[in-house]
Amino acid sequence: MLRPFYLDHPDMLHIEAIVLDAQPGAVLIKRSPVFPGGGGQLADRAMLTWSGGTAPILGTSSGPTGVWHRFDGDAAPYGLIRIDVDRSFRNLMCELHTLAHMLNALVYTRFGGALLTGAQLSADGSFRVDFDLPGADSERLRALEGALNDVIASDLPVMAGFMLYEKAKEIDGMFRSKSVAPPPSEDGTVRIVEIAGLDRQACGGTHLASTGQARPARIVKIDNKGRQNRRIKVAV
């Protein structure tokens, strides 16, 4: 399976492609611009257009020959199709995901390498991140809001590349989740997202090109989730 199209071409949000296979309510094409969801990031909103109509894409799944796209109805499109990703929703997810990395980096460096225990981006312009932080002072966590907005104002470049998975595992802080990690691709590499001078970690999601593209953020709530987890909710 080739590397996902949306990773190598994050700015290409529409493509035309030839249908490789079809069944009622689904078509197979070689590559797709649609981010399928994962790691707390919501799936792209996208439309499928063919000679017989148009329909929202309900989900995608990758296989050895390409990417299946599901939609409502029993049509089986053939020939040339077009896929259009909703740019405004993708941009929102990029913004929230980049902000989550920024906050993750601040917590990791200021709270003794605390690991992530959960994350979820929301369509309402907010996200929450959970950390393994038993006994952490909520006011100290809330004070990270100023540092988060300082990082936004610094307009740091956000870059992505690939590293051998086994090498990445040897580097402290490259994998920040306590229980899950991005899987290696078939070539044995994992994608690494870096915020210049601030953060570097494995991630398979989509991001802004720089921190300055994010809007000012505020920490709206901090919750205790069990004896060890602290949940931080952020909104733009």
Side-chain angles (χ1 to χ4, degrees):
M1 179 66 189
L2 295 173
R3 202 153 60 206
F5 182 89
Y6 54 81
L7 294 184
D8 288 330
H9 307 280
D11 297 324
M12 292 186 63
L13 300 184
H14 63 84
I15 63 168
E16 292 184 344
I18 297 295
V19 173
L20 302 178
D21 196 4
Q23 49 190 246
V27 293
L28 176 71
I29 60 175
K30 185 176 181 180
R31 308 295 298 268
S32 174
V34 179
F35 178 76
Q41 181 174 337
L42 299 178
D44 279 334
R45 295 172 179 174
M47 296 294 293
L48 174 69
T49 303
W50 68 99
S51 60
T54 184
I57 293 171
L58 302 180
T60 64
S61 57
S62 298
T65 57
V67 183
W68 283 98
H69 298 71
R70 296 182 290 101
F71 57 94
D72 271 336
D74 55 7
Y78 60 90
L80 187 69
I81 63 167
R82 179 182 174 98
I83 293 176
D84 291 278
V85 173
D86 183 321
R87 182 175 296 275
S88 62
F89 188 75
R90 165 70 75 84
N91 288 345
L92 175 62
M93 291 296 105
C94 289
E95 179 183 33
L96 296 181
H97 204 152
T98 303
L99 284 167
H101 273 232
M102 293 154 59
L103 182 58
N104 182 304
L106 293 171
V107 170
Y108 186 79
T109 56
R110 299 185 182 195
F111 289 81
L115 295 178
L116 196 71
T117 56
Q120 184 61 60
L121 312 185
S122 299
D124 64 0
S126 69
F127 68 90
R128 55 94 172 161
V129 280
D130 297 355
F131 294 96
D132 183 11
L133 278 172
D137 184 339
S138 293
E139 289 307 310
R140 190 174 165 215
L141 288 171
R142 191 176 296 278
L144 293 174
E145 180 179 305
L148 182 62
N149 283 290
D150 286 345
V151 175
I152 295 171
S154 297
D155 196 21
L156 305 177
V158 181
M159 302 154 285
F162 292 84
M163 179 184 294
L164 287 174
Y165 186 82
E166 293 303 318
K167 181 179 179 181
K169 287 200 304 182
E170 296 173 357
I171 302 174
D172 288 342
M174 198 63 76
F175 295 94
R176 299 281 178 81
S177 174
K178 191 173 182 178
S179 58
V180 297
S185 59
E186 288 187 358
D187 63 2
T189 63
V190 65
R191 183 168 177 263
I192 307 298
V193 173
E194 180 175 0
I195 301 174
L198 177 74
D199 188 46
R200 189 170 178 238
Q201 61 176 291
C203 177
T206 63
H207 292 271
L208 300 175
S210 73
T211 62
Q213 293 179 355
R215 291 169 287 178
R218 54 196 174 89
I219 294 176
V220 296
K221 192 175 184 181
I222 296 175
D223 282 330
N224 293 338
K225 292 294 181 180
R227 289 185 302 171
Q228 292 185 260
N229 288 324
R230 296 296 179 270
R231 174 170 294 176
I232 305 174
K233 184 174 180 180
V234 178
V236 293

